């Protein structure tokens, strides 16, 4: 990837490939990269404030903006009057079930959660079980304690695969590999939603949690390698200025008739990963 970048200590890299070779250039380094990332999150309290990096106040604008985006997508892709089957979603990097509890379970009949940190997943299971005991129409079904790079979904199970604040832990190679495998998990007409921090240009490597924040251009080059198309996109509003800008992408396997784009306002921010 021909993109310049820097790490959280200010070190510069001429290309993303240079950075990836240094940190994941052989099997042992790559194994350590993923091990360090999970270890970081295993040291985080399984609470709202913990998984949001001390910024629990972003939960409300995060959910609100995501809901506005999701409602448009569902009305366009799965209009209620033409819907003949229950809607099913996969929540990738689900953490403690924050997005599932506050958003996805209200719009989907079944939600599967995918999360590599066992304490987060157990918290999600306990929290969602309380709400699902009296709701047989909208429920959390499967809880997969599996890293994103190792997961292969059941063929044709999902209408939507939601991926929020976790794809930055994947190398470019595993990013492409994941989406190629995950496409098989979509039903006809299904789509991905990727919600992520956005670097102003190139990339920023966070040495602490072993994640990479990519620019919009970087993401779009990877989408092309995955055989995915941007159907819609939306900028997150209402976050503190010290955080990265955040963008939502709706991605489809077929080329849209008309790609809708929104203007993006970004600024130089301190690296921060929240889930």
């Amino acid at each position: 990837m021909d993109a310049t970048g820097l790490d959280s200590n200010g070190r510069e890299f001429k290309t993303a490939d240079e950075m990836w070779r240094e940190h994941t250039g052989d099997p042992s380094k790559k194994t350590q990269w993923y091990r360090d990332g999970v270890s970081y999150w295993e040291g985080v309290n399984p609470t709202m404030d913990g998984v949001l990096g001390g910024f629990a106040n972003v939960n409300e604008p995060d959910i609100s903006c995501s809901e506005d985006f999701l409602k448009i997508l569902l009305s366009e892709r799965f209009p209620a009057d033409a819907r003949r089957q229950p809607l099913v979603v996969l929540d990738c990097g689900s953490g403690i079930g924050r997005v599932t509890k506050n958003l996805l379970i209200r719009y989907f009949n079944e939600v599967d959660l995918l999360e590599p940190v066992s304490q987060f997943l157990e918290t999600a299971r306990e929290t969602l079980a309380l709400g699902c005991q009296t709701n047989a129409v909208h429920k959390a079904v499967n809880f997969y304690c599996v890293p994103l790079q190792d997961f292969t979904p059941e063929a044709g199970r999902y209408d939507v695969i939601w991926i929020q604040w976790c794809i930055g832990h994947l190398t470019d190679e595993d990013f492409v590999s994941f989406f190629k495998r995950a496409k098989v998990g979509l039903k006809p007409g299904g789509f991905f939603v990727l919600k992520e921090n956005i670097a102003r240009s190139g990339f920023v490597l966070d040495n602490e949690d072993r994640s990479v924040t990519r620019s919009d251009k970087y993401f779009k080059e990877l989408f092309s390698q995955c055989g995915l198309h941007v159907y819609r996109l939306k900028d997150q509003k209402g976050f503190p200025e010290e955080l990265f800008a955040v963008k939502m992408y709706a991605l489809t396997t077929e080329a849209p008739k008309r790609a809708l784009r929104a203007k993006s306002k970004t600024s130089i921010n301190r690296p921060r990963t929240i889930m």
Side-chain angles (χ1 to χ4, degrees):
M1 182 68 65
D2 186 19
T4 60
L6 69 158
D7 68 14
S8 50
N9 296 324
R11 178 186 170 184
E12 296 183 359
F13 295 91
K14 294 181 179 179
T15 66
D17 290 339
E18 176 191 353
M19 182 273 294
W20 288 122
R21 281 195 303 271
E22 177 173 322
H23 290 280
T24 65
D26 62 55
S28 63
K29 286 184 177 180
K30 188 174 181 180
T31 297
Q32 193 63 45
W33 167 275
Y34 286 121
R35 184 177 295 148
D36 289 346
V38 172
S39 294
Y40 172 85
W41 288 108
E42 286 175 340
V44 171
N45 289 329
T47 62
M48 181 84 76
D49 202 50
V51 299
L52 291 177
F55 288 86
N57 59 309
V58 307
N59 178 68
E60 185 175 343
D62 169 55
I63 296 299
S64 177
C65 202
S66 291
E67 184 168 15
D68 290 344
F69 192 53
L70 180 61
K71 285 193 292 187
I72 292 172
L73 294 169
L74 292 180
S75 66
E76 292 178 346
R77 306 287 294 186
F78 308 119
D81 56 356
R83 198 178 302 162
R84 298 180 180 179
Q85 59 187 7
L87 292 178
V88 184
V89 63
L90 174 66
D91 182 1
C92 297
S94 60
I96 60 173
R98 180 186 67 87
V99 175
T100 288
K101 176 186 176 182
N102 293 299
L103 175 63
L104 300 180
I105 207 163
R106 295 192 285 113
Y107 286 88
F108 294 87
N109 302 97
E110 295 185 3
V111 185
D112 290 347
L113 289 81
L114 176 66
E115 170 57 49
V117 179
S118 59
Q119 65 172 345
F120 288 174
L121 201 62
E122 285 307 308
T123 298
R125 190 193 300 271
E126 293 168 6
T127 301
L128 293 167
L130 296 175
C132 293
Q133 288 175 350
T134 58
N135 191 345
V137 178
H138 297 269
K139 56 187 178 181
V141 178
N142 296 304
F143 296 80
Y144 299 112
C145 192
V146 181
L148 200 63
Q149 70 273 12
D150 295 333
F151 184 74
T152 300
E154 176 186 337
R157 171 161 172 75
Y158 300 109
D159 297 282
V160 176
I161 296 179
W162 189 280
I163 308 149
Q164 181 165 346
W165 285 328
C166 61
I167 204 72
H169 290 287
L170 296 192
T171 66
D172 289 354
E173 180 182 14
D174 287 338
F175 180 113
V176 174
S177 176
F178 166 74
F179 275 105
K180 286 184 175 180
R181 294 194 313 277
K183 285 192 288 187
V184 178
L186 292 175
K187 296 177 184 177
F191 58 92
F192 297 98
V193 173
L194 177 68
K195 184 167 187 176
E196 264 300 338
N197 295 340
I198 302 294
R200 185 171 184 177
S201 63
F203 64 91
V204 178
L205 164 65
D206 190 320
N207 289 318
E208 187 177 15
D209 70 6
R210 313 307 279 172
S211 69
V212 172
T213 299
R214 300 169 169 98
S215 67
D216 177 65
K217 180 180 178 182
Y218 197 146
F219 272 122
K220 287 175 178 175
E221 289 186 26
L222 289 178
F223 296 156
S224 179
Q225 293 179 35
C226 297
L228 295 173
H229 305 272
V230 177
Y231 174 77
R232 272 188 177 270
L233 58 80
K234 180 180 178 67
D235 293 330
Q236 172 69 46
K237 305 296 184 184
F239 276 13
E241 291 184 1
E242 63 264 33
L243 298 180
F244 278 116
V246 173
K247 192 179 291 289
M248 290 174 278
Y249 301 90
L251 305 167
T252 60
T253 57
E254 77 278 2
K257 295 179 180 178
R258 183 167 61 97
L260 301 179
R261 293 178 173 82
K263 293 182 179 179
S264 176
K265 297 180 180 179
T266 59
S267 60
I268 299 175
N269 301 308
R270 179 181 181 275
R272 176 76 66 172
T273 301
I274 52 181
M275 62 166 36

